[in-house]
Amino acid sequence: MNNVIQGNQWFYWALASAFFAALTAIFAKVGLKGIDSDYATFIRTVVILFALAAFLSYAGKWQNPSELNARNWLFLILSGLATGASWLAYFKALQMGNAAQVAPVDKLSVVLVAVFAVCFLGERPSLREWGGIALVAAGVVLLSWRK
């Protein structure tokens, strides 16, 4: 039983991510009242920066940046830029729409990750996994469809 739990630890972290992402949408929707969404994203980013610095200090996980190679730097910088662009777009969408509509459309990223992973990482999802990905895509379409 313990081996099953250890082998699926990624799943529990992913569930935690989903839980906190849901709270992000709710807290952000409330916090965006009367403030520019880009400025709100900046505030959120500063909070994250300080929180992560405190966590790294507490856990003793700081690393020497010179130990990273050029590929690490390139792709972490690209990931950071993509994250920033995603957050800016997400907060603007939350400011303009309902959280219950915006969040599911944002999860179209699940479908895009699968497609990009096939194209760029050589991953090969099973037929069952493609079925789940198709259901996510169908759910996004259904939830965003206006009468």
Side-chain angles (χ1 to χ4, degrees):
M1 179 66 172
N2 198 22
N3 287 340
V4 172
I5 291 173
Q6 286 180 339
N8 292 326
Q9 283 185 348
W10 66 267
F11 181 77
Y12 300 110
W13 283 106
L15 280 178
S17 174
F19 175 79
F20 289 116
L23 289 179
T24 297
I26 301 305
F27 294 159
K29 182 67 180 173
V30 174
L32 281 166
K33 296 262 192 263
I35 184 174
D36 178 76
S37 64
D38 296 337
Y39 187 67
T41 302
F42 171 75
I43 292 170
R44 172 188 180 185
T45 303
V46 170
V47 170
I48 291 168
L49 179 69
F50 282 109
L52 280 174
F55 173 76
L56 288 172
S57 295
Y58 173 78
K61 291 189 172 192
W62 285 104
Q63 292 181 246
N64 185 345
S66 67
E67 294 174 359
L68 299 173
N69 63 39
R71 183 180 172 93
N72 294 134
W73 279 109
L74 172 65
F75 284 98
L76 289 174
I77 289 168
L78 289 173
S79 175
L81 292 171
T83 298
S86 172
W87 288 357
L88 288 168
Y90 186 70
F91 268 43
K92 179 57 85 176
L94 272 177
Q95 192 170 50
M96 299 169 76
N98 294 326
Q101 293 170 312
V102 170
V105 173
D106 177 65
K107 297 311 170 215
L108 188 59
S109 63
V110 171
V111 176
L112 295 174
V113 166
V115 171
F116 293 164
V118 167
C119 294
F120 301 116
L121 302 177
E123 294 183 8
R124 297 289 175 246
S126 68
L127 187 58
R128 179 185 56 83
E129 292 165 333
W130 278 120
I133 293 163
L135 288 172
V136 170
V140 168
V141 170
L142 184 63
L143 288 167
S144 63
W145 202 336
R146 285 284 195 188
K147 292 180 187 180

